[in-house]
């Protein structure tokens, strides 16, 4: 298994998106980073790729964003929450039964001084 992102995109002002794509599940997850802070979006169960990215790129995990409840794979959100203390964020209509922040439609979350 590769711990390297499948794609890295960086904007001129430093916002970086590390994409991790798992072919066998057709699943994309993301580490979005700026000014040393990061959100992880839709993490897969094996969190090693994210702990590696956070460590290698010197990032502090600010939150774990779940776009929806995933019936097609097991998420690593609870393990990331336990390890880093970062809040799990999911839509307030998702019906999530795990500890989380229920995000309202249109709510904005701050990553850095610019984003």
């Amino acid at each position: 298994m590769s711990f390297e992102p499948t794609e890295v995109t960086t904007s001129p002002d430093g916002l970086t998106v590390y994409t991790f794509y798992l072919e066998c599940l057709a699943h994309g997850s993301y580490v979005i980073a700026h000014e040393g802070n990061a959100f992880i979006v839709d993490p897969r169960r094996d969190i090693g790729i994210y702990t590696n990215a956070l460590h290698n790129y010197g990032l502090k995990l600010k939150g774990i964003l779940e776009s929806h409840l995933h019936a097609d794979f097991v998420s690593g959100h609870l393990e990331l929450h336990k390890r880093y203390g970062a809040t799990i964020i999911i839509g307030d209509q998702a019906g999530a039964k795990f500890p989380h922040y229920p995000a309202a439609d249109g709510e904005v979350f701050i990553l850095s001084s610019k984003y």
Side-chain angles (χ1 to χ4, degrees):
M1 174 178 54
S2 173
F3 285 97
E4 296 301 315
T6 51
E7 184 177 350
V8 178
T9 306
T10 303
S11 69
D13 62 1
L15 178 72
T16 303
V17 178
Y18 302 93
T19 301
F20 297 90
Y21 190 74
L22 186 60
E23 284 285 335
C24 65
L25 292 177
H27 171 255
S29 60
Y30 311 88
V31 174
I32 302 171
H34 192 252
E35 296 178 344
N37 296 312
F39 284 125
I40 296 175
V41 181
D42 292 336
R44 65 188 190 211
R45 177 68 183 101
D46 177 13
I47 67 165
I49 59 172
Y50 313 113
T51 59
N52 187 59
L54 294 171
H55 174 76
N56 287 348
Y57 305 122
L59 302 172
K60 178 182 181 211
L61 183 58
K62 289 193 70 174
I64 303 145
L65 308 174
E66 290 285 5
S67 62
H68 62 288
L69 291 176
H70 302 279
D72 53 345
F73 72 94
V74 178
S75 176
H77 62 276
L78 292 174
E79 191 173 348
L80 286 164
H81 167 72
K82 184 185 279 187
R83 180 172 291 189
Y84 294 99
T87 300
I88 300 167
I89 303 165
I90 192 166
D92 59 5
Q93 301 297 308
K97 303 295 184 204
F98 49 81
H100 67 283
Y101 175 83
D105 187 31
E107 193 164 356
V108 175
F109 298 93
I110 304 299
L111 174 62
S112 65
S113 66
K114 184 166 185 159
Y115 295 101

